[in-house]
Amino acid sequence: MSANQNTAFPRCFSGALKEVAREQGFTEGLYRLESESGSKFGDGFAGDLVKVFIREGDRELVILCKLLPENETRKQQGISLFVRETVAYMQILPLLLKFQDEKALAKHLPRFDNVPRCYYAKTTLDSMESVVIMEDLRLQAYRMWDKANPVDFEHARLLMATLGRLHALSFAMKDQQPEEFAQCREFTDPMTKMLALDPKKTFPKMAASMCRRAIDTLEKDDTYRRGKLELLQDRCVQEIEACVDANAAEPYAVIGHGDCWSNNVMFQYAEDNQTPSKIKLIDWQLSRYGSPVLDLVYFIFNCTDEEMRSHSYQRLLSIYYHSLSEHLHNLGGDVERQFPRSAFREQLKMFGRYGLLIAMLIMPMICTPNDELPDTNKAMEGLVKENPDGDDEVHFEYGTTEKAAIRYQKRMSGCIRDMVRFGYI
């Protein structure tokens, strides 16, 4: 689609574009706007992306605009996530990055700069409107890993090192500037807030149904592991709430990304076009203050496979911890005092099961190739409708095609086996 400056854009969207154009030095009345769809099918679940070109003379600025879905059900489900992302981009991340900038780190030292530039973000609950405007990282040759395939070691390694630096910012700032950091402590989990707005209790039913589906990936005679999961089956929501409880993670809680899976990470590559050299974390709609291990187990147990974890799980944890330790030291902190290895191990023991709880919910989507994804509007609406059969099953359309089901069985059963092997459940 294309549009000029005065037509086709919703009011809140055109106002946001106007503000960005003015801030970026375009001349009122002289620039023009054109747009096209900003994502491939299957890239995003909580919002719609529009790519906008701001053009004046021979100058062009390309931006990516994230909007609430037009579908009313998805809009109601997604508005709180847009509130969260707006605060993340406009308040929380700038606060942490300003703290890092004030440290005036030597140029050769690594730093956390792994977020896209955000030009504008605003969410208005009264009118149910939201716009987030960012740079389009694809113009710098960033791209996503194919979510349906488990990531390799090099991609996982780069993310672990990046998460170490992100979490180090919180450890350093909460220690050195506790008053300024106080607002980060209020950045509690958005998912639990969404659950409170679930009057039909759809989510607990869905989680129990997904747990039963996960159990079915195990061999029938695997009674030990099946028994472990059956204990979780009707407690999934309570277990998730326990894992994201920041108070339970103190004094080690940090600002984390919160939704760390393949579709929310973009990579830039070396000349061989295979080795990842740079990384950006996108989509901060579930970012939160909580245990640092939540980001790790979310990614590792959903985006790698059993084979890679068999030889590289501890190595990935060590890469993360070394990166956190190094960056915390460069920021003036001390990992032995603030987050010793013993505390790291204890956090994994306390919250490691979160990787499985999330896997039960999102692994079907991860294992479904984009060309086999169901229509998002229909799938999400189906979750909030009463089941005509009158039972407690919630029919989730993802991961049900033949190809997806084979992938799901292998990845999910491997996740369960590793959860038990590491003592997390």
Side-chain angles (χ1 to χ4, degrees), residues 52-71:
V52 174
F53 304 84
I54 306 178
R55 294 177 172 132
E56 181 181 343
D58 58 2
R59 187 181 169 212
E60 177 184 84
L61 177 66
V62 184
I63 51 180
L64 209 53
C65 308
K66 193 172 181 179
L67 305 168
L68 270 168
E70 290 183 17
N71 176 274

Side-chain angles (χ1 to χ4, degrees), residues 311-330:
H311 54 72
S312 295
Y313 180 61
Q314 295 301 334
R315 199 169 154 205
L316 289 172
L317 295 181
S318 292
I319 287 164
Y320 163 80
Y321 188 78
H322 175 74
S323 174
L324 185 150
S325 172
E326 182 182 63
H327 198 45
L328 183 54
H329 173 76
N330 293 337

Side-chain angles (χ1 to χ4, degrees), residues 209-220 226 229-230 233 393 408-409 412-413 416:
S209 182
M210 303 303 276
C211 187
R212 286 190 285 275
R213 189 167 165 184
I215 292 170
D216 285 341
T217 65
L218 296 169
E219 297 292 333
K220 289 276 185 267
R226 281 174 165 264
L229 256 71
E230 282 161 5
Q233 185 176 294
E393 285 298 315
Y408 172 75
Q409 193 281 329
M412 192 73 234
S413 62
I416 296 165

Side-chain angles (χ1 to χ4, degrees), residues 8-185:
F9 294 120
R11 184 173 50 81
C12 69
F13 188 16
S14 55
L17 291 172
K18 210 171 187 178
E19 194 166 318
V20 171
R22 186 178 68 246
E23 284 182 358
Q24 297 307 310
F26 288 89
T27 313
E28 181 84 35
L30 294 183
Y31 66 83
R32 67 188 190 282
L33 303 175
E34 292 179 12
S35 64
E36 63 186 37
S37 175
S39 62
K40 297 195 294 292
F41 187 67
D43 278 353
F45 294 99
D48 296 332
L49 288 178
V50 179
K51 187 175 184 175
V52 174
F53 304 84
I54 306 178
R55 294 177 172 132
E56 181 181 343
D58 58 2
R59 187 181 169 212
E60 177 184 84
L61 177 66
V62 184
I63 51 180
L64 209 53
C65 308
K66 193 172 181 179
L67 305 168
L68 270 168
E70 290 183 17
N71 176 274
E72 200 56 42
T73 302
R74 286 177 63 209
K75 185 183 283 192
Q76 294 288 343
Q77 291 168 339
I79 185 75
S80 63
L81 301 180
F82 275 79
V83 171
R84 174 54 48 117
E85 190 161 39
T86 297
V87 177
Y89 274 128
M90 302 310 288
Q91 294 175 33
I92 301 297
L93 288 167
L95 185 78
L96 293 172
L97 294 175
K98 178 171 176 278
F99 171 80
Q100 181 177 249
D101 287 344
E102 287 169 353
K103 293 296 174 181
L105 299 173
K107 281 195 173 162
H108 70 278
L109 292 175
R111 65 203 65 218
F112 180 79
D113 56 3
N114 308 92
V115 290
R117 179 176 180 183
C118 182
Y119 292 98
Y120 180 98
K122 186 176 182 181
T123 302
T124 310
L125 283 170
D126 291 348
S127 54
M128 293 289 283
E129 294 176 330
S130 185
V131 189
V132 179
I133 301 180
M134 301 157 290
E135 64 178 333
D136 187 348
L137 292 168
R138 292 169 297 190
L139 299 178
Q140 300 166 48
Y142 280 91
R143 66 178 190 264
M144 286 177 188
W145 178 271
D146 178 359
K147 69 177 172 61
N149 298 318
V151 299
D152 62 23
F153 178 77
E154 281 304 308
H155 288 78
R157 178 196 63 76
L158 189 55
L159 178 62
M160 291 301 111
T162 301
L163 290 174
R165 288 191 283 274
L166 168 62
H167 297 166
L169 292 175
S170 291
F171 278 114
M173 192 176 181
K174 74 195 288 192
D175 183 49
Q176 298 169 34
Q177 296 182 4
E179 289 180 10
E180 290 87 342
F181 188 78
Q183 62 184 287
C184 294
R185 294 179 185 274

Side-chain angles (χ1 to χ4, degrees), residues 191 203 206-211 214 228-229 231-245 288 294 297-298 301-302 350-365 408 412 415-416 419 424-425:
M191 206 188 298
F203 191 76
M206 182 183 85
S209 182
M210 303 303 276
C211 187
K228 291 269 190 186
L229 256 71
L231 291 174
L232 283 177
Q233 185 176 294
D234 297 317
R235 289 190 43 79
C236 289
V237 172
Q238 294 98 310
E239 292 292 334
I240 288 172
E241 289 174 337
C243 285
V244 299
D245 179 1
R288 69 164 81 80
L294 300 182
V297 296
Y298 192 128
F301 287 96
N302 284 281
M350 289 171 66
F351 305 112
R353 68 191 184 284
Y354 185 70
L356 172 64
L357 294 163
I358 289 296
M360 291 191 294
L361 300 176
I362 73 166
M363 192 70 82
M365 290 186 273
Y408 172 75
M412 192 73 234
C415 177
I416 296 165
M419 280 280 151
Y424 297 160
I425 61 167

